[in-house]
Amino acid sequence: MLKIVKNPEFTARVKVQVPGEGSPVEQSFIARFRTISVSEGEAFNGFTTEGQTEWLRRIFIGWENGVKDEDGNDVPYSEAARDEMIDVPFIRNAISAAYNAAMLGAKRGN
């Protein structure tokens, strides 16, 4: 049975390679994503930073746990906090990779 859901959402672990002394350190958090249709995705120019940023803003809609500030306090989701994360290259790449991996897994039926 296939149940078609308009605007489905899902969570996925985002593994971030954070630059450290000598070598990167893996950190992670659970992100909430919104899937978008192929036609909706075509509206974003993935070859520009602006297009990639708009795409990330559309698909990355929250987190459930694992995002802390420098003092170890939980950072609640907000659009401003999301945009700060999207602005950090290594976090941005990890968010994109987690979404794409989840979508590839969904397409494979995993």
Short mmCIF file of all heavy atoms in Angstrom, two decimals, residues 35-107:
data_model
loop_
_atom_site.label_atom_id
_atom_site.label_comp_id
_atom_site.label_asym_id
_atom_site.label_seq_id
_atom_site.Cartn_x
_atom_site.Cartn_y
_atom_site.Cartn_z
N THR A 35 10.04 17.34 2.92
CA THR A 35 10.34 16.95 1.54
C THR A 35 9.67 17.94 0.59
O THR A 35 8.64 18.53 0.91
CB THR A 35 9.85 15.52 1.22
OG1 THR A 35 8.43 15.48 1.33
CG2 THR A 35 10.48 14.50 2.14
N ILE A 36 10.29 18.10 -0.55
CA ILE A 36 9.70 18.95 -1.58
C ILE A 36 9.62 18.15 -2.86
O ILE A 36 10.38 17.21 -3.07
CB ILE A 36 10.49 20.26 -1.78
CG1 ILE A 36 11.94 19.99 -2.19
CG2 ILE A 36 10.43 21.12 -0.53
CD1 ILE A 36 12.72 21.24 -2.54
N SER A 37 8.69 18.53 -3.71
CA SER A 37 8.52 17.83 -4.98
C SER A 37 9.65 18.19 -5.93
O SER A 37 10.36 19.20 -5.74
CB SER A 37 7.18 18.20 -5.60
OG SER A 37 7.19 19.57 -5.98
N VAL A 38 9.80 17.40 -6.97
CA VAL A 38 10.80 17.68 -7.99
C VAL A 38 10.54 19.04 -8.61
O VAL A 38 11.47 19.85 -8.77
CB VAL A 38 10.80 16.57 -9.07
CG1 VAL A 38 11.70 16.94 -10.24
CG2 VAL A 38 11.22 15.24 -8.46
N SER A 39 9.28 19.32 -8.93
CA SER A 39 8.98 20.60 -9.56
C SER A 39 9.27 21.78 -8.62
O SER A 39 9.75 22.82 -9.05
CB SER A 39 7.53 20.65 -10.03
OG SER A 39 6.64 20.41 -8.97
N GLU A 40 9.02 21.62 -7.33
CA GLU A 40 9.33 22.68 -6.38
C GLU A 40 10.85 22.85 -6.27
O GLU A 40 11.35 23.97 -6.20
CB GLU A 40 8.74 22.36 -5.01
CG GLU A 40 8.90 23.48 -4.01
CD GLU A 40 8.26 23.19 -2.68
OE1 GLU A 40 7.70 22.09 -2.48
OE2 GLU A 40 8.33 24.07 -1.80
N GLY A 41 11.57 21.76 -6.28
CA GLY A 41 13.03 21.82 -6.19
C GLY A 41 13.68 22.49 -7.38
O GLY A 41 14.74 23.12 -7.26
N GLU A 42 13.03 22.40 -8.54
CA GLU A 42 13.57 23.03 -9.75
C GLU A 42 13.59 24.55 -9.65
O GLU A 42 14.31 25.21 -10.40
CB GLU A 42 12.78 22.59 -10.97
CG GLU A 42 13.05 21.16 -11.36
CD GLU A 42 12.17 20.67 -12.51
OE1 GLU A 42 11.18 21.35 -12.86
OE2 GLU A 42 12.48 19.61 -13.06
N ALA A 43 12.83 25.10 -8.72
CA ALA A 43 12.78 26.56 -8.57
C ALA A 43 14.06 27.10 -7.93
O ALA A 43 14.30 28.31 -7.98
CB ALA A 43 11.58 26.95 -7.71
N PHE A 44 14.88 26.24 -7.33
CA PHE A 44 16.09 26.68 -6.65
C PHE A 44 17.30 26.42 -7.54
O PHE A 44 17.47 25.32 -8.06
CB PHE A 44 16.26 25.92 -5.33
CG PHE A 44 15.10 26.10 -4.40
CD1 PHE A 44 14.13 25.10 -4.29
CD2 PHE A 44 14.96 27.25 -3.65
CE1 PHE A 44 13.05 25.26 -3.43
CE2 PHE A 44 13.88 27.43 -2.80
CZ PHE A 44 12.92 26.43 -2.70
N ASN A 45 18.14 27.42 -7.70
CA ASN A 45 19.35 27.29 -8.50
C ASN A 45 20.46 26.74 -7.61
O ASN A 45 21.06 27.47 -6.83
CB ASN A 45 19.75 28.64 -9.10
CG ASN A 45 20.97 28.53 -10.00
OD1 ASN A 45 21.65 27.52 -10.02
ND2 ASN A 45 21.24 29.58 -10.74
N GLY A 46 20.70 25.45 -7.74
CA GLY A 46 21.71 24.79 -6.91
C GLY A 46 23.14 25.16 -7.25
O GLY A 46 24.06 24.74 -6.56
N PHE A 47 23.33 25.95 -8.32
CA PHE A 47 24.68 26.35 -8.71
C PHE A 47 25.08 27.69 -8.09
O PHE A 47 26.20 28.15 -8.31
CB PHE A 47 24.79 26.44 -10.24
CG PHE A 47 24.66 25.09 -10.89
CD1 PHE A 47 23.52 24.76 -11.59
CD2 PHE A 47 25.66 24.13 -10.78
CE1 PHE A 47 23.38 23.51 -12.18
CE2 PHE A 47 25.54 22.89 -11.36
CZ PHE A 47 24.39 22.57 -12.06
N THR A 48 24.18 28.30 -7.32
CA THR A 48 24.51 29.57 -6.65
C THR A 48 24.36 29.40 -5.15
O THR A 48 23.56 28.59 -4.68
CB THR A 48 23.57 30.71 -7.11
OG1 THR A 48 22.24 30.46 -6.64
CG2 THR A 48 23.58 30.87 -8.63
N THR A 49 25.12 30.17 -4.42
CA THR A 49 25.01 30.14 -2.96
C THR A 49 23.62 30.56 -2.53
O THR A 49 23.03 29.95 -1.63
CB THR A 49 26.08 31.07 -2.34
OG1 THR A 49 27.37 30.61 -2.75
CG2 THR A 49 26.01 31.06 -0.82
N GLU A 50 23.08 31.58 -3.17
CA GLU A 50 21.73 32.05 -2.82
C GLU A 50 20.69 30.97 -3.06
O GLU A 50 19.82 30.74 -2.22
CB GLU A 50 21.38 33.30 -3.64
CG GLU A 50 20.03 33.87 -3.31
CD GLU A 50 19.71 35.11 -4.14
OE1 GLU A 50 20.63 35.88 -4.46
OE2 GLU A 50 18.52 35.30 -4.46
N GLY A 51 20.78 30.28 -4.19
CA GLY A 51 19.82 29.21 -4.48
C GLY A 51 19.94 28.06 -3.50
O GLY A 51 18.93 27.51 -3.05
N GLN A 52 21.16 27.69 -3.15
CA GLN A 52 21.37 26.62 -2.17
C GLN A 52 20.83 27.02 -0.80
O GLN A 52 20.21 26.21 -0.11
CB GLN A 52 22.86 26.30 -2.06
CG GLN A 52 23.44 25.67 -3.30
CD GLN A 52 24.95 25.60 -3.24
OE1 GLN A 52 25.57 25.99 -2.25
NE2 GLN A 52 25.56 25.12 -4.31
N THR A 53 21.04 28.28 -0.43
CA THR A 53 20.56 28.77 0.85
C THR A 53 19.04 28.74 0.90
O THR A 53 18.45 28.28 1.90
CB THR A 53 21.08 30.19 1.13
OG1 THR A 53 22.51 30.14 1.18
CG2 THR A 53 20.54 30.74 2.44
N GLU A 54 18.39 29.18 -0.14
CA GLU A 54 16.92 29.16 -0.18
C GLU A 54 16.39 27.73 -0.13
O GLU A 54 15.39 27.46 0.54
CB GLU A 54 16.40 29.90 -1.42
CG GLU A 54 16.59 31.40 -1.35
CD GLU A 54 15.99 32.02 -0.10
OE1 GLU A 54 14.84 31.71 0.26
OE2 GLU A 54 16.70 32.82 0.55
N TRP A 55 17.06 26.81 -0.80
CA TRP A 55 16.67 25.39 -0.77
C TRP A 55 16.79 24.85 0.65
O TRP A 55 15.88 24.19 1.16
CB TRP A 55 17.54 24.60 -1.74
CG TRP A 55 17.29 23.13 -1.74
CD1 TRP A 55 16.22 22.47 -2.27
CD2 TRP A 55 18.14 22.13 -1.17
NE1 TRP A 55 16.36 21.11 -2.07
CE2 TRP A 55 17.52 20.88 -1.40
CE3 TRP A 55 19.35 22.17 -0.50
CZ2 TRP A 55 18.09 19.68 -0.97
CZ3 TRP A 55 19.92 20.97 -0.08
CH2 TRP A 55 19.28 19.74 -0.32
N LEU A 56 17.91 25.15 1.32
CA LEU A 56 18.10 24.68 2.69
C LEU A 56 17.04 25.27 3.63
O LEU A 56 16.53 24.57 4.50
CB LEU A 56 19.51 25.02 3.18
CG LEU A 56 20.61 24.14 2.61
CD1 LEU A 56 21.98 24.76 2.88
CD2 LEU A 56 20.53 22.72 3.16
N ARG A 57 16.71 26.53 3.44
CA ARG A 57 15.67 27.15 4.27
C ARG A 57 14.32 26.46 4.07
O ARG A 57 13.53 26.36 4.99
CB ARG A 57 15.54 28.63 3.94
CG ARG A 57 16.65 29.47 4.49
CD ARG A 57 16.47 30.93 4.12
NE ARG A 57 17.52 31.73 4.69
CZ ARG A 57 18.01 32.83 4.13
NH1 ARG A 57 17.52 33.25 2.97
NH2 ARG A 57 18.96 33.49 4.71
N ARG A 58 14.08 26.00 2.88
CA ARG A 58 12.81 25.33 2.57
C ARG A 58 12.75 23.92 3.17
O ARG A 58 11.71 23.50 3.67
CB ARG A 58 12.61 25.27 1.05
CG ARG A 58 11.37 24.57 0.61
CD ARG A 58 10.13 25.41 0.90
NE ARG A 58 8.97 24.71 0.37
CZ ARG A 58 7.91 24.42 1.10
NH1 ARG A 58 7.82 24.79 2.35
NH2 ARG A 58 6.91 23.77 0.57
N ILE A 59 13.85 23.18 3.12
CA ILE A 59 13.81 21.78 3.57
C ILE A 59 14.15 21.58 5.04
O ILE A 59 13.67 20.65 5.66
CB ILE A 59 14.74 20.89 2.71
CG1 ILE A 59 16.20 21.31 2.87
CG2 ILE A 59 14.30 20.88 1.26
CD1 ILE A 59 17.20 20.25 2.49
N PHE A 60 14.99 22.44 5.62
CA PHE A 60 15.47 22.29 7.00
C PHE A 60 14.55 23.10 7.91
O PHE A 60 14.63 24.31 7.98
CB PHE A 60 16.91 22.78 7.07
CG PHE A 60 17.57 22.72 8.42
CD1 PHE A 60 17.31 21.69 9.32
CD2 PHE A 60 18.48 23.69 8.78
CE1 PHE A 60 17.94 21.64 10.55
CE2 PHE A 60 19.13 23.65 10.02
CZ PHE A 60 18.85 22.63 10.90
N ILE A 61 13.65 22.39 8.61
CA ILE A 61 12.57 23.09 9.33
C ILE A 61 12.64 22.95 10.84
O ILE A 61 11.73 23.40 11.54
CB ILE A 61 11.19 22.64 8.81
CG1 ILE A 61 11.01 21.14 9.01
CG2 ILE A 61 11.02 23.04 7.35
CD1 ILE A 61 9.60 20.66 8.76
N GLY A 62 13.69 22.34 11.35
CA GLY A 62 13.79 22.24 12.80
C GLY A 62 14.81 21.22 13.24
O GLY A 62 15.48 20.60 12.42
N TRP A 63 14.92 21.09 14.54
CA TRP A 63 15.75 20.04 15.13
C TRP A 63 15.11 19.59 16.41
O TRP A 63 14.33 20.31 17.03
CB TRP A 63 17.19 20.48 15.34
CG TRP A 63 17.41 21.75 16.09
CD1 TRP A 63 17.30 21.96 17.43
CD2 TRP A 63 17.77 23.01 15.53
NE1 TRP A 63 17.59 23.27 17.74
CE2 TRP A 63 17.88 23.94 16.59
CE3 TRP A 63 18.02 23.45 14.23
CZ2 TRP A 63 18.23 25.26 16.39
CZ3 TRP A 63 18.37 24.77 14.04
CH2 TRP A 63 18.47 25.66 15.10
N GLU A 64 15.41 18.35 16.78
CA GLU A 64 14.80 17.77 17.97
C GLU A 64 15.73 17.77 19.16
O GLU A 64 15.28 17.89 20.29
CB GLU A 64 14.31 16.36 17.65
CG GLU A 64 13.21 16.40 16.61
CD GLU A 64 12.50 15.08 16.44
OE1 GLU A 64 12.93 14.08 17.04
OE2 GLU A 64 11.52 15.07 15.69
N ASN A 65 17.00 17.58 18.92
CA ASN A 65 17.96 17.64 20.02
C ASN A 65 19.36 17.67 19.46
O ASN A 65 19.58 17.40 18.29
CB ASN A 65 17.79 16.46 21.00
CG ASN A 65 18.01 15.12 20.34
OD1 ASN A 65 18.90 14.95 19.53
ND2 ASN A 65 17.19 14.15 20.69
N GLY A 66 20.29 18.03 20.33
CA GLY A 66 21.69 17.97 19.94
C GLY A 66 22.31 19.28 19.51
O GLY A 66 23.49 19.32 19.20
N VAL A 67 21.55 20.38 19.48
CA VAL A 67 22.13 21.66 19.11
C VAL A 67 22.35 22.47 20.40
O VAL A 67 21.41 22.75 21.13
CB VAL A 67 21.24 22.43 18.12
CG1 VAL A 67 21.85 23.79 17.78
CG2 VAL A 67 21.02 21.61 16.85
N LYS A 68 23.60 22.79 20.66
CA LYS A 68 23.99 23.49 21.88
C LYS A 68 24.79 24.74 21.52
O LYS A 68 25.43 24.80 20.47
CB LYS A 68 24.88 22.59 22.75
CG LYS A 68 24.29 21.22 23.03
CD LYS A 68 23.67 21.19 24.36
CE LYS A 68 23.20 19.78 24.70
NZ LYS A 68 22.15 19.78 25.66
N ASP A 69 24.78 25.71 22.42
CA ASP A 69 25.62 26.88 22.24
C ASP A 69 27.01 26.60 22.82
O ASP A 69 27.27 25.51 23.32
CB ASP A 69 24.97 28.15 22.81
CG ASP A 69 24.81 28.11 24.33
OD1 ASP A 69 25.45 27.27 25.01
OD2 ASP A 69 24.03 28.93 24.84
N GLU A 70 27.88 27.59 22.79
CA GLU A 70 29.26 27.41 23.28
C GLU A 70 29.33 27.04 24.75
O GLU A 70 30.29 26.42 25.20
CB GLU A 70 30.06 28.70 23.05
CG GLU A 70 30.35 28.95 21.59
CD GLU A 70 31.14 30.23 21.38
OE1 GLU A 70 30.64 31.29 21.81
OE2 GLU A 70 32.23 30.15 20.78
N ASP A 71 28.30 27.41 25.51
CA ASP A 71 28.27 27.11 26.95
C ASP A 71 27.59 25.78 27.26
O ASP A 71 27.43 25.42 28.42
CB ASP A 71 27.57 28.24 27.70
CG ASP A 71 28.33 29.55 27.58
OD1 ASP A 71 29.57 29.52 27.58
OD2 ASP A 71 27.66 30.60 27.48
N GLY A 72 27.15 25.07 26.21
CA GLY A 72 26.49 23.78 26.42
C GLY A 72 25.00 23.86 26.66
O GLY A 72 24.37 22.86 27.00
N ASN A 73 24.41 25.04 26.48
CA ASN A 73 22.96 25.20 26.65
C ASN A 73 22.23 24.83 25.36
O ASN A 73 22.72 25.10 24.27
CB ASN A 73 22.63 26.65 27.01
CG ASN A 73 23.30 27.08 28.30
OD1 ASN A 73 23.23 26.39 29.30
ND2 ASN A 73 23.98 28.21 28.25
N ASP A 74 21.05 24.22 25.51
CA ASP A 74 20.24 23.87 24.35
C ASP A 74 19.89 25.13 23.56
O ASP A 74 19.57 26.17 24.14
CB ASP A 74 18.95 23.18 24.76
CG ASP A 74 19.18 21.77 25.25
OD1 ASP A 74 20.16 21.13 24.81
OD2 ASP A 74 18.38 21.29 26.08
N VAL A 75 19.95 25.02 22.24
CA VAL A 75 19.54 26.11 21.37
C VAL A 75 18.18 25.73 20.79
O VAL A 75 18.08 24.76 20.04
CB VAL A 75 20.55 26.33 20.22
CG1 VAL A 75 20.05 27.40 19.25
CG2 VAL A 75 21.92 26.70 20.77
N PRO A 76 17.12 26.46 21.15
CA PRO A 76 15.82 26.15 20.58
C PRO A 76 15.77 26.54 19.10
O PRO A 76 16.46 27.47 18.67
CB PRO A 76 14.85 27.00 21.40
CG PRO A 76 15.67 28.11 21.96
CD PRO A 76 17.07 27.58 22.08
N TYR A 77 14.96 25.83 18.34
CA TYR A 77 14.84 26.14 16.92
C TYR A 77 14.17 27.50 16.73
O TYR A 77 13.19 27.84 17.39
CB TYR A 77 14.01 25.08 16.19
CG TYR A 77 13.81 25.45 14.74
CD1 TYR A 77 14.80 25.20 13.81
CD2 TYR A 77 12.66 26.10 14.32
CE1 TYR A 77 14.65 25.57 12.49
CE2 TYR A 77 12.50 26.48 12.99
CZ TYR A 77 13.49 26.21 12.08
OH TYR A 77 13.35 26.58 10.77
N SER A 78 14.73 28.26 15.83
CA SER A 78 14.13 29.49 15.32
C SER A 78 14.68 29.68 13.92
O SER A 78 15.71 29.09 13.57
CB SER A 78 14.47 30.69 16.20
OG SER A 78 15.85 31.02 16.09
N GLU A 79 14.01 30.47 13.13
CA GLU A 79 14.52 30.72 11.78
C GLU A 79 15.88 31.41 11.84
O GLU A 79 16.76 31.11 11.03
CB GLU A 79 13.51 31.54 10.97
CG GLU A 79 12.29 30.73 10.60
CD GLU A 79 11.29 31.49 9.74
OE1 GLU A 79 11.52 32.68 9.43
OE2 GLU A 79 10.28 30.87 9.36
N ALA A 80 16.08 32.30 12.80
CA ALA A 80 17.36 32.98 12.94
C ALA A 80 18.47 31.99 13.29
O ALA A 80 19.57 32.04 12.70
CB ALA A 80 17.27 34.08 13.99
N ALA A 81 18.21 31.07 14.23
CA ALA A 81 19.21 30.06 14.60
C ALA A 81 19.48 29.13 13.43
O ALA A 81 20.63 28.77 13.16
CB ALA A 81 18.74 29.28 15.82
N ARG A 82 18.42 28.75 12.71
CA ARG A 82 18.58 27.90 11.51
C ARG A 82 19.47 28.60 10.50
O ARG A 82 20.40 28.00 9.95
CB ARG A 82 17.22 27.61 10.89
CG ARG A 82 17.31 26.82 9.59
CD ARG A 82 16.14 27.02 8.68
NE ARG A 82 16.02 28.43 8.31
CZ ARG A 82 14.89 28.97 7.88
NH1 ARG A 82 13.79 28.26 7.79
NH2 ARG A 82 14.86 30.24 7.54
N ASP A 83 19.21 29.88 10.24
CA ASP A 83 19.99 30.62 9.26
C ASP A 83 21.46 30.75 9.67
O ASP A 83 22.35 30.71 8.82
CB ASP A 83 19.37 31.99 9.00
CG ASP A 83 18.06 31.89 8.22
OD1 ASP A 83 17.72 30.79 7.72
OD2 ASP A 83 17.38 32.93 8.11
N GLU A 84 21.72 30.89 10.98
CA GLU A 84 23.10 30.93 11.46
C GLU A 84 23.80 29.61 11.15
O GLU A 84 24.96 29.59 10.73
CB GLU A 84 23.15 31.20 12.95
CG GLU A 84 22.87 32.63 13.33
CD GLU A 84 22.96 32.88 14.84
OE1 GLU A 84 23.75 32.19 15.51
OE2 GLU A 84 22.22 33.75 15.32
N MET A 85 23.09 28.48 11.36
CA MET A 85 23.69 27.18 11.07
C MET A 85 23.94 27.00 9.58
O MET A 85 25.00 26.51 9.18
CB MET A 85 22.78 26.06 11.60
CG MET A 85 22.76 26.00 13.12
SD MET A 85 21.62 24.77 13.75
CE MET A 85 22.45 23.26 13.29
N ILE A 86 22.99 27.42 8.77
CA ILE A 86 23.12 27.31 7.31
C ILE A 86 24.30 28.14 6.80
O ILE A 86 24.90 27.82 5.78
CB ILE A 86 21.80 27.72 6.61
CG1 ILE A 86 20.72 26.66 6.86
CG2 ILE A 86 22.00 27.94 5.13
CD1 ILE A 86 19.34 27.06 6.37
N ASP A 87 24.67 29.18 7.52
CA ASP A 87 25.75 30.07 7.10
C ASP A 87 27.14 29.49 7.38
O ASP A 87 28.13 30.00 6.88
CB ASP A 87 25.59 31.43 7.80
CG ASP A 87 26.40 32.52 7.14
OD1 ASP A 87 26.44 32.57 5.88
OD2 ASP A 87 26.99 33.33 7.87
N VAL A 88 27.21 28.42 8.17
CA VAL A 88 28.51 27.80 8.49
C VAL A 88 28.76 26.69 7.47
O VAL A 88 28.00 25.72 7.40
CB VAL A 88 28.50 27.22 9.94
CG1 VAL A 88 29.82 26.56 10.25
CG2 VAL A 88 28.17 28.32 10.94
N PRO A 89 29.83 26.81 6.66
CA PRO A 89 30.03 25.87 5.55
C PRO A 89 29.98 24.40 5.92
O PRO A 89 29.32 23.60 5.25
CB PRO A 89 31.40 26.26 4.99
CG PRO A 89 31.56 27.69 5.36
CD PRO A 89 30.87 27.85 6.69
N PHE A 90 30.66 23.98 6.98
CA PHE A 90 30.70 22.56 7.30
C PHE A 90 29.36 22.06 7.86
O PHE A 90 29.02 20.89 7.69
CB PHE A 90 31.87 22.19 8.22
CG PHE A 90 31.96 22.96 9.51
CD1 PHE A 90 31.31 22.53 10.65
CD2 PHE A 90 32.72 24.12 9.57
CE1 PHE A 90 31.42 23.23 11.83
CE2 PHE A 90 32.84 24.83 10.76
CZ PHE A 90 32.17 24.39 11.90
N ILE A 91 28.57 22.93 8.49
CA ILE A 91 27.24 22.53 8.94
C ILE A 91 26.30 22.48 7.76
O ILE A 91 25.52 21.54 7.60
CB ILE A 91 26.70 23.49 10.03
CG1 ILE A 91 27.61 23.48 11.26
CG2 ILE A 91 25.27 23.10 10.42
CD1 ILE A 91 27.25 24.51 12.32
N ARG A 92 26.37 23.47 6.90
CA ARG A 92 25.55 23.56 5.69
C ARG A 92 25.71 22.29 4.84
O ARG A 92 24.73 21.69 4.41
CB ARG A 92 26.00 24.80 4.93
CG ARG A 92 25.50 24.95 3.55
CD ARG A 92 26.29 26.09 2.86
NE ARG A 92 25.56 26.60 1.77
CZ ARG A 92 24.72 27.63 1.82
NH1 ARG A 92 24.54 28.27 2.94
NH2 ARG A 92 24.07 28.00 0.76
N ASN A 93 26.97 21.90 4.61
CA ASN A 93 27.23 20.71 3.80
C ASN A 93 26.66 19.45 4.45
O ASN A 93 26.13 18.57 3.77
CB ASN A 93 28.72 20.55 3.55
CG ASN A 93 29.28 21.65 2.67
OD1 ASN A 93 28.55 22.30 1.92
ND2 ASN A 93 30.58 21.89 2.78
N ALA A 94 26.77 19.36 5.77
CA ALA A 94 26.26 18.19 6.49
C ALA A 94 24.74 18.11 6.43
O ALA A 94 24.17 17.01 6.28
CB ALA A 94 26.74 18.22 7.94
N ILE A 95 24.06 19.25 6.53
CA ILE A 95 22.59 19.27 6.44
C ILE A 95 22.15 18.79 5.06
O ILE A 95 21.27 17.95 4.94
CB ILE A 95 22.05 20.69 6.74
CG1 ILE A 95 22.30 21.06 8.20
CG2 ILE A 95 20.57 20.78 6.40
CD1 ILE A 95 22.12 22.53 8.50
N SER A 96 22.79 19.32 4.05
CA SER A 96 22.47 18.94 2.67
C SER A 96 22.71 17.44 2.45
O SER A 96 21.87 16.73 1.88
CB SER A 96 23.31 19.76 1.70
OG SER A 96 23.04 19.42 0.38
N ALA A 97 23.84 16.95 2.94
CA ALA A 97 24.18 15.53 2.77
C ALA A 97 23.18 14.62 3.48
O ALA A 97 22.77 13.58 2.96
CB ALA A 97 25.60 15.27 3.27
N ALA A 98 22.74 15.01 4.69
CA ALA A 98 21.79 14.20 5.44
C ALA A 98 20.44 14.13 4.73
O ALA A 98 19.82 13.07 4.64
CB ALA A 98 21.61 14.76 6.85
N TYR A 99 19.98 15.26 4.22
CA TYR A 99 18.71 15.29 3.48
C TYR A 99 18.82 14.41 2.23
O TYR A 99 17.95 13.56 1.98
CB TYR A 99 18.35 16.72 3.09
CG TYR A 99 17.08 16.82 2.27
CD1 TYR A 99 15.85 16.86 2.89
CD2 TYR A 99 17.12 16.87 0.89
CE1 TYR A 99 14.68 16.95 2.16
CE2 TYR A 99 15.95 16.96 0.14
CZ TYR A 99 14.74 17.00 0.77
OH TYR A 99 13.58 17.09 0.04
N ASN A 100 19.88 14.60 1.46
CA ASN A 100 20.03 13.84 0.22
C ASN A 100 20.17 12.34 0.49
O ASN A 100 19.59 11.53 -0.24
CB ASN A 100 21.21 14.37 -0.59
CG ASN A 100 20.93 15.72 -1.20
OD1 ASN A 100 19.79 16.03 -1.57
ND2 ASN A 100 21.94 16.55 -1.30
N ALA A 101 20.88 11.97 1.54
CA ALA A 101 21.01 10.55 1.88
C ALA A 101 19.67 9.96 2.26
O ALA A 101 19.33 8.84 1.87
CB ALA A 101 22.02 10.38 3.01
N ALA A 102 18.88 10.71 3.03
CA ALA A 102 17.55 10.22 3.43
C ALA A 102 16.64 10.08 2.21
O ALA A 102 15.91 9.10 2.10
CB ALA A 102 16.94 11.16 4.45
N MET A 103 16.71 11.02 1.31
CA MET A 103 15.87 10.95 0.11
C MET A 103 16.32 9.81 -0.79
O MET A 103 15.49 9.11 -1.36
CB MET A 103 15.91 12.28 -0.65
CG MET A 103 15.27 13.43 0.13
SD MET A 103 13.60 13.09 0.71
CE MET A 103 12.74 12.98 -0.84
N LEU A 104 17.60 9.59 -0.90
CA LEU A 104 18.10 8.47 -1.70
C LEU A 104 17.66 7.15 -1.09
O LEU A 104 17.23 6.24 -1.78
CB LEU A 104 19.63 8.52 -1.80
CG LEU A 104 20.28 7.43 -2.63
CD1 LEU A 104 19.78 7.44 -4.07
CD2 LEU A 104 21.79 7.59 -2.60
N GLY A 105 17.73 7.06 0.25
CA GLY A 105 17.27 5.86 0.95
C GLY A 105 15.78 5.65 0.74
O GLY A 105 15.34 4.52 0.52
N ALA A 106 15.00 6.72 0.75
CA ALA A 106 13.56 6.62 0.52
C ALA A 106 13.28 6.14 -0.89
O ALA A 106 12.40 5.33 -1.13
CB ALA A 106 12.88 7.97 0.77
N LYS A 107 14.04 6.62 -1.85
CA LYS A 107 13.85 6.21 -3.23
C LYS A 107 14.19 4.73 -3.43
O LYS A 107 13.60 4.06 -4.23
CB LYS A 107 14.68 7.08 -4.17
CG LYS A 107 14.16 8.48 -4.29
CD LYS A 107 15.03 9.32 -5.20
CE LYS A 107 14.55 10.75 -5.24
NZ LYS A 107 15.43 11.62 -6.02
#
